[in-house]
């Protein structure tokens, strides 16, 4: 009900700078600046004065800030009251889906347990796999989404959501179709000697760091290239264009049509499951408990 530009303006005013606001909102400083330029042009007002020391609100800006804070609070209360009315009739399970985090696994489970929950309906909500914005998506679990089915060993992700484990995927390696290894059905680590293997940089994934430690200690003939901390389609495109190899998982074997994903003799597996809010509603807890009971049985 309130525009993103107005919320960004409030954040900038509270933080005192574009960079700090961008960090808090999980968007780029350029995106923050564009939103503010759009808002000021739309209102025909100068809301803030920029300097090397940060920002300072103009008198107009102070007035808009004060009233906007009230409007946002009032709007949030209105939405919350409307949600309470809606929940007395039926509960909507909002499931996020994307290319790298498809909701099919959830839907397969839903079809098996839906008869136990006649009051629940499913709403599928798409989102983009973009390593610049994925943390913003994760932050919206519990607000915009109730669940996202994700492959998750990320400390950053798991500081922002819970995960109900549904299973594990095997580690694979993706290679371009024109690569010398593309015809193989299974890879040994020695097949990778002399090659460059792309994998996420250290620090966020315990599993990834364990694999990297193992490779660096026992297979130094494999050159490792850091990728972005979270995969998106650009990572797969770079693998194809560079001719390098990419550490991948079995569920992403069909992400890029120009890459072949091949099993490799790495013993590690990565968990996947339902990502849900740190503080889920009672309805979500009841649903998860029933789902867990069904899985165990």
């Amino acid at each position: 009900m309130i525009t993103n530009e107005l919320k960004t303006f409030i954040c900038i005013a509270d933080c005192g700078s574009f960079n700090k606001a961008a960090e808090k909102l999980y968007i780029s400083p350029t995106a923050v600046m564009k939103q503010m330029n759009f808002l000021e042009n739309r209102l025909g007002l100068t809301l803030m004065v920029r300097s090397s020391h940060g920002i300072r609100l103009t008198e107009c800006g102070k007035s808009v800030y004060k009233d906007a804070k009230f409007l946002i609070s009032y709007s949030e209360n209105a939405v919350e009251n409307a949600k309470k009315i809606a929940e007395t009739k039926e509960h909507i399970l909002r499931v996020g889906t994307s290319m790298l985090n498809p909701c099919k696994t959830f839907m397969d489970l839903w079809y098996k347990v839906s008869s136990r929950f006649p009051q629940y309906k499913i709403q599928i909500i798409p989102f983009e796999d973009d390593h610049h914005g994925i943390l913003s998506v994760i932050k919206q679990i519990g607000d915009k989404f109730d669940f996202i089915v994700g492959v998750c060993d990320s400390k950053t992700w798991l500081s922002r959501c819970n995960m109900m484990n549904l299973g594990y995927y095997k580690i694979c390696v993706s290679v371009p179709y024109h690569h010398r290894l593309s015809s193989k059905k299974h890879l040994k680590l020695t097949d990778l000697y002399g090659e460059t293997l792309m994998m996420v940089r250290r620090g966020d994934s315990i599993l990834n760091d364990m694999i990297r430690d193992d490779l660096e200690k026992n297979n130094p003939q494999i050159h490792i290239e850091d990728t972005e901390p979270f995969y998106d389609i650009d990572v797969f495109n770079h693998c194809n264009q560079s001719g390098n190899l990419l550490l991948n998982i079995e569920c992403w074997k069909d992400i890029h049509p120009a890459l072949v994903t091949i099993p490799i003799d790495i013993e590690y597996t990565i968990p996947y499951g339902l990502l849900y809010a740190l503080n889920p509603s009672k309805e979500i807890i009841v649903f998860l408990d029933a789902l867990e009971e069904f899985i165990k049985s």
Side-chain angles (χ1 to χ4, degrees), residues 100-101 105 148-155 157-158 161-171 204-211 248-252 267-275:
L100 292 176
N101 299 278
T105 301
I148 290 175
V149 181
V151 176
C152 189
D153 183 52
S154 165
K155 290 184 286 187
W157 284 28
L158 293 176
C161 66
N162 286 310
M163 184 175 81
M164 176 181 173
N165 194 303
L166 297 177
Y168 295 86
Y169 286 127
K170 295 179 181 178
I171 301 296
D204 187 56
S205 165
I206 294 175
L207 172 66
N208 181 78
D209 291 351
M210 290 172 62
I211 295 175
N248 201 5
I249 50 179
E250 57 180 313
C251 67
W252 291 342
E267 298 300 323
Y268 300 99
T269 57
I270 187 168
Y272 72 92
L274 285 183
L275 305 181

Side-chain angles (χ1 to χ4, degrees), residues 69-292:
K69 293 277 280 191
F70 171 78
L71 287 172
I72 289 174
S73 176
Y74 191 86
S75 176
E76 288 175 348
N77 288 336
V79 173
E80 188 62 31
N81 290 335
K83 286 182 177 179
K84 289 179 180 178
I85 294 173
E87 288 171 356
T88 61
K89 298 180 180 179
E90 63 179 25
H91 189 80
I92 304 295
L93 292 177
R94 300 158 301 168
V95 185
T97 190
S98 69
M99 182 182 296
L100 292 176
N101 299 278
C103 67
K104 185 179 185 302
T105 301
F106 174 85
M107 295 308 299
D108 290 343
L109 287 172
W110 169 251
Y111 293 136
K112 296 176 181 178
V113 302
S114 58
S115 60
R116 304 184 186 188
F117 299 95
Q119 76 277 27
Y120 285 74
K121 304 295 180 184
I122 300 296
Q123 181 183 7
I124 305 299
I125 303 176
F127 65 91
E128 292 294 328
D129 294 304
D130 178 353
H131 68 265
H132 291 295
I134 190 63
L135 291 182
S136 177
V137 173
I138 299 301
K139 188 179 179 181
Q140 294 179 78
I141 298 176
D143 181 15
K144 183 177 180 179
F145 313 98
D146 291 310
F147 301 113
I148 290 175
V149 181
V151 176
C152 189
D153 183 52
S154 165
K155 290 184 286 187
T156 305
W157 284 28
L158 293 176
S159 69
R160 292 166 168 79
C161 66
N162 286 310
M163 184 175 81
M164 176 181 173
N165 194 303
L166 297 177
Y168 295 86
Y169 286 127
K170 295 179 181 178
I171 301 296
C172 300
V173 169
S174 290
V175 303
Y177 264 105
H178 55 75
H179 196 278
R180 65 180 179 85
L181 297 176
S182 63
S183 61
K184 285 185 173 291
K185 300 299 182 184
H186 191 278
L187 294 173
K188 300 177 182 179
L189 285 172
T190 53
D191 292 326
L192 277 54
Y193 285 4
E195 298 289 347
T196 295
L197 178 66
M198 300 163 54
M199 58 189 302
V200 299
R201 59 176 177 256
R202 283 187 181 277
D204 187 56
S205 165
I206 294 175
L207 172 66
N208 181 78
D209 291 351
M210 290 172 62
I211 295 175
R212 184 185 286 260
D213 289 341
D214 195 355
L215 292 177
E216 290 178 349
K217 178 180 178 181
N218 301 312
N219 301 273
Q221 300 89 338
I222 302 172
H223 174 67
I224 296 175
E225 177 184 315
D226 289 344
T227 71
E228 298 293 343
F230 315 118
Y231 282 8
D232 59 14
I233 193 62
D234 288 341
V235 173
F236 292 87
N237 281 332
H238 179 62
C239 173
N240 178 53
Q241 294 163 5
S242 66
N244 294 337
L245 311 182
L246 176 67
L247 195 71
N248 201 5
I249 50 179
E250 57 180 313
C251 67
W252 291 342
K253 63 184 180 65
D254 297 321
I255 292 296
H256 199 293
L259 300 178
V260 181
T261 299
I262 308 171
I264 188 169
D265 57 355
I266 292 178
E267 298 300 323
Y268 300 99
T269 57
I270 187 168
Y272 72 92
L274 285 183
L275 305 181
Y276 62 97
L278 289 174
N279 298 297
S281 66
K282 292 181 180 179
E283 292 81 3
I284 296 300
I285 293 174
V286 169
F287 177 80
L288 288 172
D289 287 344
L291 188 60
E292 186 173 17

